[in-house]
C-alpha cells in the first residue's frame, strides 16, 4: 500500500514537472512539485527503496529533453541529497550535478552551480578539491568572458563558496578568489581594458541593473569575505573595497552595507576604529533608507566603537569617533524634515543610548534641548513620545544637579503649565516615563504636585488622561514618608467627584476611585508583596544618590585643583624673587671685588683669595632673610672696597652664612673659604662697639667726601 502511494506521487510529480512549463502558473506548479517531492522522501525509511524507486526517476528528469525540466529537477537535488545521505550523494547526485553544470542551458548551469554551493558541507575534501573546485573555477572564468548570466548568482554565493572551500585553497587560489571578489565589487564603476570613457560602449539599462545587483551581493557577502581573509588583514586587503561599497553611487548597495555594518564591526573587534569614517558617512547619507538600515543596530555599533577602539577611556571616548556628534545631529534633522516619521521615531529611540557613549555635558548642550523642542513643536504623536522618553533617559544620566533642575523646571513650565492642551497631555506622557526610569522619591519630589494641579485643567481630555494615570501616581507613595502627598491626592479625587461636570470624565473618575481603593500603598520598609518592586526602586534611588555624590566629588576636586594652582603660582613667584635677589647679591659682590683693584700691592694677594671666596659664594642661594644684604654696605673711599662695619675688613661680608655653608666649607679639605666661629664672635663684638659711633663715623665720612669733591 505504501509503495503504491509513493509511485503514484512520483508519477504525479513527473507529470506536473513536464506540463508546468506550458502553463501560466509556472511558479505555483513548481512549488507544488517541491512539496510533493519533500513528502515522498519523508515517507521512505529504507535506502534500498529510495535507490530502487526514486533515484531512477531523478536521473530521468535530470536528462529530460526540456531545459526547464532539467533546471527544476536540478534545484531539487539538494533535497534528494539530504534524504539519501552522503554515500549515495557522492555516487549518484554529484555526477548528475557535474553533467548539469556543463549543460547548454544557462538556467540549468545556474541551478547546478547553486545546488553545488548548498551541498558543500556534504562533500569530503577530495570531492571538493577534485570535482567542485575545478567547476567553480570554470564558472568564474566564464562569467566575464562568455556567460554573464551567472554573475548575479555567483556574486550572491561567493562568500559561502569561499569559506566552504577555504581548507583546500592554495595561497595562489586564495589570492585569485579574493581578486575576483574585488573585481565584482567595482563592476560597472571602473574603466575596463584601459579604454577611455569615449571608447566605452553605452551600457543598456538591463546590464546596469545587473551590475548593481552584483555590487549589492558583494556588499551582502562582505562579512563572509572578512572571515575569508582574516580580520587582522582587513585594512590591507579589504578596506579599499569597504570604502567603495559605502560610497557607491547606488542606494541599494549602500543600504546593504548599512545593514551589514554591525556584522563587520563585530568581526573587526579591537580594530573597529578603522571604519569610523564610514560610519559617519552612512549617518550623513542622503537616502533615508540607508539611515534607517544603519540605525537598527546603532547602539551596538557605537558601543563597539567606543569600548574596543584605541581610546577606551571614559573621558576620551569620542576620540575614537571623530565628527560623531555633528553626524548624529545632521541625521536627526534630516529625518525630522522628511515625511518618514517612522524613521524619525526609530532614530530618537536609538539615541537613548548616547549617555553610555558621550559625556553628560555634550548630551545636555547638543541633544537634550533638541528633544524638548521636538516635544513642543512636532505634530506626530509617536515621535513626540519617543523624544519624551529619550529626554527622560538623558535626564536620568545627567551628572549636574543645576542642569537637572533647569530641565525639570522647563518640563513643568512649558509642558505641564503650557498654553496648549496638547503640551499638557505630553507632560503626562513624560511623567509616565519618569515613573518608569526614576525612583519613587524622585517623582514625588519634583512631579507629584504638578501632576495633581492638572485636575483643574479646563480641557476634559487632559483630566481624563490624568484620571487614568492616578493609580500609577499613587503607587509612587510610601507611608509614612509621603503621608502629606497622599492627603493631597485624596483631596483632588474628592474635588473631581464633587465638581466634575463632564460625563465621560466623571465615569472615568468613578472607575479610578474603585481602583485606587483596591490598591495597597507600600511602606518604607520592605514587604514580601512588593519586594521585587521595592528592590528595583531602591537600586534606582541608590544610583541617583551616587550621581549626586560623584558631582560633589568633582566639585571638591575642582576646588582643590584651583587651590593647588594658586599655591603653585605663589611658590613660583617666591622662587623667582629669591633667584632674582641672589643674582643681585652676586653682582654686588663681584662689583665690590672689582673695585679693590686700585688698592696697594699688599692687598693684591688678599684680593685673589677673596675672589675665590666670592665666586664660590655667588653660586649659592641665600636665605630670603638675608636678601637685603646688598643695601647695607657703604663704600669706603680709603680702602677701596665695601665694608659693613669699620675695622672688620672684607671678611665680614661672609659672616652672614648659615650652617650649610660651614658644612660645605668643612668638606672642601679645610680651605678658608668661610670664616670660623671666632670671626663670628669678632663680628658680634664689633657690631656692639660700632653702634655708639655711627653718628661720628657718618660725620667723618661726609667731611672726607666734601674734601675729595673739592
Amino acid at each position: 500500500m505504501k509503495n503504491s502511494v509513493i509511485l503514484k506521487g512520483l508519477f504525479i510529480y513527473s507529470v506536473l514537472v513536464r506540463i508546468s512549463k506550458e502553463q501560466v502558473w509556472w511558479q505555483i506548479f513548481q512549488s507544488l512539485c517541491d512539496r510533493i517531492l519533500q513528502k515522498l522522501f519523508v515517507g521512505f525509511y529504507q535506502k534500498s527503496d529510495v535507490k530502487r524507486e526514486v533515484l531512477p526517476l531523478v536521473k530521468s528528469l535530470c536528462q529530460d529533453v526540456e531545459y526547464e525540466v532539467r533546471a527544476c529537477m536540478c534545484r531539487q537535488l539538494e533535497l534528494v541529497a539530504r534524504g539519501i545521505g552522503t554515500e549515495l550523494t557522492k555516487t549518484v547526485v554529484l555526477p548528475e550535478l557535474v553533467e548539469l553544470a556543463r549543460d547548454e542551458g544557462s538556467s540549468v548551469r545556474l541551478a547546478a552551480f547553486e545546488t553545488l554551493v548548498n551541498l558543500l558541507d556534504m562533500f569530503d575534501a577530495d570531492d571538493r578539491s577534485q570535482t567542485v573546485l575545478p567547476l567553480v573555477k570554470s564558472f568564474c572564468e566564464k562569467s566575464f568572458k562568455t556567460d554573464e548570466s551567472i554573475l548575479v548568482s555567483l556574486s550572491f554565493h561567493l562568500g559561502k563558496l569561499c569559506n566552504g572551500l577555504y581548507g583546500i585553497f592554495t595561497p595562489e587560489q586564495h589570492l585569485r578568489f579574493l581578486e575576483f571578489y574585488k573585481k565584482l565589487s567595482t563592476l560597472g564603476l571602473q574603466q575596463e581594458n584601459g579604454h577611455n570613457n569615449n571608447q566605452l560602449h553605452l551600457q543598456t539599462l538591463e546590464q546596469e541593473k545587473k551590475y548593481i545587483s552584483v555590487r549589492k551581493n558583494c556588499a551582502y557577502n562582505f562579512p563572509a569575505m572578512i572571515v575569508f581573509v582574516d580580520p587582522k588583514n582587513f585594512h590591507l586587503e579589504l578596506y579599499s573595497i569597504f570604502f567603495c561599497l559605502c560610497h557607491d553611487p547606488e542606494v541599494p548597495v549602500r543600504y546593504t552595507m548599512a545593514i551589514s555594518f554591525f556584522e563587520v564591526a563585530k568581526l573587526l573587534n579591537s580594530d573597529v576604529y578603522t571604519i569610523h569614517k564610514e560610519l559617519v558617512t552612512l549617518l550623513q547619507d542622503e537616502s533615508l533608507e540607508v539611515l534607517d538600515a544603519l540605525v537598527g543596530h546603532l547602539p551596538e555599533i557605537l558601543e563597539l566603537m567606543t569600548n574596543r577602539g584605541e581610546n577606551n577611556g571614559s573621558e576620551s571616548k569620542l576620540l575614537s569617533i571623530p565628527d560623531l556628534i555633528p553626524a548624529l545631529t545632521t541625521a536627526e534633522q534630516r529625518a525630522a524634515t522628511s515625511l518618514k516619521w517612522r524613521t524619525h521615531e526609530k532614530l530618537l529611540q536609538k539615541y537613548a543610548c548616547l549617555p553610555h557613549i558621550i559625556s553628560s555635558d555634550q548630551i545636555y548642550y547638543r541633544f537634550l534641548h533638541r528633544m524638548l523642542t521636538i516635544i513642543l513643536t512636532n505634530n506626530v504623536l509617536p515621535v513626540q513620545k519617543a523624544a519624551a522618553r529619550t529626554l527622560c533617559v538623558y535626564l536620568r544620566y545627567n551628572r549636574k544637579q543645576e542642569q537637572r533642575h533647569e530641565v525639570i523646571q522647563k518640563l513643568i513650565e512649558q509642558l505641564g503649565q503650557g498654553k496648549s492642551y496638547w503640551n499638557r497631555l505630553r507632560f503626562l506622557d513624560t511623567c509616565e516615563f519618569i515613573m518608569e526610569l526614576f525612583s519613587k522619591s524622585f517623582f514625588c519630589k519634583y512631579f507629584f504636585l504638578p501632576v495633581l494641579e492638572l485636575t483643574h485643567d479646563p480641557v476634559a481630555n487632559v483630566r481624563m488622561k490624568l484620571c487614568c494615570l492616578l493609580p500609577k501616581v499613587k503607587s509612587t507613595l510610601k507611608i509614612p514618608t509621603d503621608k502629606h502627598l497622599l492627603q493631597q491626592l485624596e483631596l483632588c479625587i474628592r474635588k473631581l467627584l464633587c465638581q466634575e461636570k463632564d460625563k465621560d470624565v466623571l465615569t472615568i473618575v468613578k472607575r479610578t476611585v474603585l481602583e485606587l481603593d483596591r490598591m495597597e500603598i507600600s511602606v518604607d520598609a520592605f514587604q514580601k508583596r512588593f519586594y521585587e518592586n521595592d528592590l528595583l526602586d531602591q537600586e534606582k534611588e541608590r544610583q541617583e544618590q551616587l550621581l549626586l555624590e560623584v558631582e560633589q566629588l568633582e566639585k571638591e576636586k575642582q576646588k582643590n585643583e584651583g587651590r593647588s594652582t594658586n599655591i603653585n603660582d605663589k611658590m613660583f613667584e617666591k622662587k623667582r624673587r629669591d633667584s632674582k635677589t641672589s643674582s643681585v647679591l652676586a653682582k654686588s659682590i663681584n662689583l665690590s671685588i672689582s673695585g679693590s683693584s686700585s688698592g696697594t700691592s699688599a692687598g693684591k694677594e688678599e684680593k685673589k683669595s677673596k675672589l675665590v671666596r666670592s665666586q664660590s659664594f655667588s653660586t649659592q642661594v641665600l636665605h630670603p632673610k638675608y636678601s637685603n644684604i646688598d643695601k647695607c654696605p657703604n663704600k669706603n673711599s680709603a680702602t677701596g672696597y665695601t665694608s659693613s662695619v669699620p675695622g672688620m675688613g672684607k671678611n665680614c661680608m661672609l659672616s652672614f652664612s648659615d650652617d650649610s655653608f660651614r658644612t660645605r666649607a668643612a668638606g672642601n679639605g679645610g680651605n678658608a673659604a668661610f670664616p670660623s666661629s671666632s670671626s663670628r664672635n669678632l663680628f658680634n663684638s664689633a657690631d656692639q662697639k660700632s653702634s655708639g659711633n655711627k653718628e661720628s663715623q657718618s660725620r667723618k665720612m661726609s667731611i672726607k667726601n666734601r674734601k675729595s669733591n673739592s
Side-chain angles (χ1 to χ4, degrees), residues 26 30 66-75 100-115 139 147 149-150 153:
W26 160 257
Q30 187 176 0
E66 298 293 338
Y67 72 92
E68 290 96 341
V69 178
R70 297 196 301 274
C72 181
M73 189 65 241
C74 186
R75 295 185 185 278
L100 291 171
R102 299 188 180 97
D103 196 274
E104 60 183 3
S106 60
S107 60
V108 180
R109 295 196 300 271
L110 181 60
F113 171 75
E114 293 177 353
T115 305
F139 270 104
D147 193 4
S149 60
I150 65 171
S153 179

Side-chain angles (χ1 to χ4, degrees), residues 18 99 138 168 265 323 365 380 447 508 528-529 545 708:
R18 285 183 171 89
E99 185 177 355
S138 64
I168 64 172
D323 302 328
Y365 291 110
V380 182
F447 292 96
I508 296 177
K528 293 182 179 180
R529 189 176 303 174
Q545 185 65 28
S708 60

Side-chain angles (χ1 to χ4, degrees), residues 16-26 29 66 68:
L16 287 175
V17 168
R18 285 183 171 89
I19 68 172
S20 59
K21 66 185 183 65
E22 299 178 358
Q23 303 298 325
V24 178
W25 295 351
W26 160 257
F29 276 113
E66 298 293 338
E68 290 96 341

Side-chain angles (χ1 to χ4, degrees), residues 273-543:
Y273 63 90
T274 58
I275 58 174
H276 67 269
K277 294 182 180 179
E278 284 67 33
L279 173 63
V280 173
T281 300
L282 293 177
L283 282 172
Q284 296 175 337
D285 196 277
E286 59 183 7
S287 173
L288 285 178
E289 295 178 3
V290 176
L291 179 62
D292 185 78
L294 183 66
V295 165
H297 291 286
L298 185 62
E300 294 86 353
I301 294 171
L302 293 178
E303 185 178 0
L304 288 172
M305 287 280 185
T306 54
N307 293 340
R308 299 185 181 180
E310 281 183 330
N311 303 299
N312 133 16
S314 59
E315 296 181 357
S316 59
K317 284 184 175 182
L318 277 178
L319 296 178
S320 59
I321 318 178
D323 302 328
L324 172 64
I325 294 179
L328 292 173
T329 54
T330 302
E332 189 278 322
Q333 290 172 0
R334 286 179 46 256
T337 55
S338 68
L339 298 177
K340 297 182 178 181
W341 62 266
R342 289 182 178 85
T343 300
H344 193 200
E345 178 193 10
K346 184 179 179 181
L347 191 69
L348 295 176
Q349 291 172 349
K350 298 299 179 180
Y351 277 13
C353 72
L354 292 182
H356 306 290
I357 309 299
I358 59 180
S359 67
S360 175
D361 286 338
Q362 289 167 332
I363 290 177
Y364 177 77
Y365 291 110
R366 301 300 296 271
F367 294 98
L368 195 147
H369 293 286
R370 175 60 182 168
M371 297 300 142
L372 183 59
T373 302
I374 293 172
I375 298 172
L376 292 171
T377 59
N378 199 283
N379 296 324
V380 182
L381 180 59
V383 173
Q384 286 182 310
K385 287 187 175 183
R389 193 182 192 285
T390 303
L391 184 145
C392 293
V393 173
Y394 293 165
L395 183 63
R396 170 70 177 79
Y397 291 99
N398 190 279
R399 300 181 65 176
K400 292 187 177 181
Q401 192 171 6
E402 295 179 359
Q403 295 177 356
R404 288 196 296 272
H405 288 169
E406 180 185 351
V407 175
I408 292 171
Q409 192 68 21
K410 286 185 178 180
L411 287 175
I412 295 173
E413 292 179 355
Q414 299 183 19
L415 291 180
Q417 301 173 0
K419 295 181 179 180
S420 173
Y421 85 97
W422 189 256
N423 290 340
R424 298 195 293 276
L425 289 174
R426 300 294 74 77
F427 176 73
L428 295 176
D429 292 331
T430 305
C431 289
E432 286 192 67
F433 296 131
I434 289 174
M435 286 186 282
E436 174 189 350
L437 297 171
F438 290 83
S439 65
K440 296 178 180 179
S441 59
F442 182 90
F443 176 81
C444 292
K445 181 178 180 181
Y446 295 106
F447 292 96
F448 191 92
L449 295 178
V451 168
L452 293 185
E453 289 179 1
L454 293 179
T455 55
H456 308 290
D457 195 275
V459 179
N461 287 342
V462 178
R463 300 195 301 274
M464 288 173 63
K465 188 173 182 65
L466 173 62
C467 293
C468 296
L469 191 64
L470 286 179
K472 290 185 178 180
V473 172
K474 185 178 179 180
S475 65
T476 62
L477 298 176
K478 289 183 179 181
I479 300 299
T481 305
D482 301 324
K483 187 176 181 180
H484 63 290
L485 296 179
L486 179 61
Q487 294 174 354
Q488 292 288 335
L489 176 62
E490 293 174 350
L491 179 62
C492 291
I493 294 173
R494 292 193 192 98
K495 288 183 178 180
L496 285 173
L497 286 173
C498 298
Q499 300 177 3
E500 184 59 50
K501 298 179 180 180
D502 190 279
K503 295 181 180 180
D504 296 329
V505 178
L506 188 59
T507 302
I508 296 177
V509 170
K510 292 179 180 179
R511 188 172 60 192
T512 303
V513 169
L514 295 176
E515 185 177 355
L516 291 174
D517 291 338
R518 291 193 297 266
M519 288 183 62
E520 294 185 11
I521 303 176
S522 61
V523 296
D524 292 335
F526 279 77
Q527 293 177 317
K528 293 182 179 180
R529 189 176 303 174
F530 307 108
Y531 181 77
E532 294 183 358
N533 294 333
D534 290 344
L535 192 64
L536 181 60
D537 183 70
Q538 185 184 32
E539 179 63 21
K540 292 178 181 178
E541 192 169 352
R542 187 188 66 81
Q543 293 177 0

Side-chain angles (χ1 to χ4, degrees), residues 109 136-152 154 176 180 183-184 187 192-193 207 210-211:
R109 295 196 300 271
V136 173
K137 289 172 64 177
S138 64
F139 270 104
C140 294
E141 292 173 357
K142 293 178 181 179
S143 61
F144 281 106
K145 296 179 180 179
T146 58
D147 193 4
E148 289 189 353
S149 60
I150 65 171
L151 270 179
V152 177
L154 183 60
R176 180 180 300 177
F180 181 72
K183 190 174 182 180
L184 290 178
L187 187 65
E192 300 180 4
N193 300 325
Q207 193 174 20
K210 183 187 298 182
Y211 288 163

